[in-house]
Amino acid sequence: MLLHVENQSDPHGDMEPIAFRLGGERIEVLRIIDRWIAKDHSYFKIEASDHGLYILRFTPDDGQWELTLFQAPSNIPR
């Protein structure tokens, strides 16, 4: 799923997410848990303001961000 992501450059000049839109809602990145940076794409495992865990993929050639994984918070009552 393609996403609109607000991003910024890290100290090395690589793009990193700071917020994204999902279903019309703006979700902020609370912290980047892990990242995998490669020449053709980068992955970011993040904790977001909705307390979900996400993995976002960035492809620098076309500037597109994609949602590759979502894990809902485990403390949500069912």
Side-chain angles (χ1 to χ4, degrees):
M1 167 188 286
L2 294 179
L3 294 176
H4 172 74
V5 176
E6 297 171 35
N7 53 61
Q8 64 184 12
S9 294
D10 71 6
H12 304 287
D14 297 315
M15 298 306 277
E16 62 182 24
I18 57 172
F20 59 95
R21 295 219 171 260
L22 187 61
E25 181 181 352
R26 183 177 185 271
I27 300 172
E28 293 184 26
V29 174
L30 295 179
R31 69 184 176 115
I32 296 174
I33 298 168
D34 203 355
R35 65 182 80 204
W36 304 269
I37 308 293
K39 182 180 178 182
D40 57 345
H41 58 269
S42 302
Y43 288 92
F44 297 87
K45 182 176 183 181
I46 62 165
E47 179 183 2
S49 57
D50 65 355
H51 303 290
L53 293 177
Y54 295 82
I55 294 181
L56 306 180
R57 175 183 167 150
F58 177 64
T59 306
D61 288 344
D62 58 15
Q64 292 202 354
W65 288 87
E66 183 178 354
L67 173 63
T68 61
L69 179 126
F70 167 70
Q71 182 179 346
S74 58
N75 59 353
I76 296 176
R78 299 189 189 254

